[in-house]
Amino acid sequence: LAAPAGSYRAAVEGLQRMLGAIAAEPEDLRWRVIRATNEEFQETLGRRPGVRPFLRCVGFEARSRESLPQGLLASLGLTSGSATERFYYMQEPNMMEAYEAWVAWLERIKEIASFLETLGRLTFQRIAHLGQHGADVPARTVIAGSEVFQ
């Protein structure tokens, strides 16, 4: 909550879009494999405070290209890059072998996406009237930590 409110809101909205997309289409690998150096990722989420720890908490793992499952990147058209290139990868439980674990995983993703959607709406309501959409106001002055962690 130390970040400017506008930056905080952008991070919350970006994370909600990502997790909402995973919840809607869990089999779509495009949302579960993130190239750490991808400029769009860096602009929308990667450079924002707290995003990387959040990604780890929701199940993304930092991995090198060589430690990803065989053929994964080729299936996404990401064939070029060094063996040490970094990615964030969220592995989906195998639905056929562990259906209950898969259902629990998907429900958790849906709950987090729903929480982020609610938090994004609350943040928007609190900063919509501010100049520059809260770019110069610390998020902690707009939304209390106790409201986030209810």
Side-chain angles (χ1 to χ4, degrees), residues 101-145:
W102 181 85
V103 168
W105 170 81
L106 184 58
E107 286 304 312
R108 181 173 178 264
I109 297 298
K110 287 178 180 180
E111 288 173 12
I112 295 168
S114 176
F115 165 77
L116 289 169
E117 184 177 0
T118 301
L119 183 58
R121 273 196 308 270
L122 177 63
T123 306
F124 175 77
Q125 290 169 355
R126 300 281 175 86
I127 68 170
H129 67 284
L130 299 175
Q132 299 179 27
H133 298 287
D136 54 352
V137 178
R140 69 178 169 273
T141 65
V142 176
I143 187 167

Side-chain angles (χ1 to χ4, degrees), residues 40-104:
E40 183 179 344
F41 167 73
Q42 287 297 320
E43 286 179 22
T44 58
L45 292 173
R47 293 187 189 113
R48 306 215 185 260
V51 166
R52 291 170 194 252
F54 182 87
L55 290 175
R56 285 193 296 276
C57 288
V58 298
F60 280 90
E61 300 173 2
R63 295 214 185 161
S64 65
R65 174 181 285 275
E66 61 189 9
S67 71
L68 289 168
Q70 185 82 20
L72 175 68
L73 295 177
S75 72
L76 295 170
L78 300 173
T79 55
S80 64
S82 75
T84 59
E85 182 179 16
R86 304 299 293 172
F87 290 84
Y88 293 101
Y89 173 58
M90 177 186 277
Q91 186 165 345
E92 173 186 11
N94 186 318
M95 183 177 19
M96 299 307 225
E97 294 176 9
Y99 182 73
E100 290 176 8
W102 181 85
V103 168

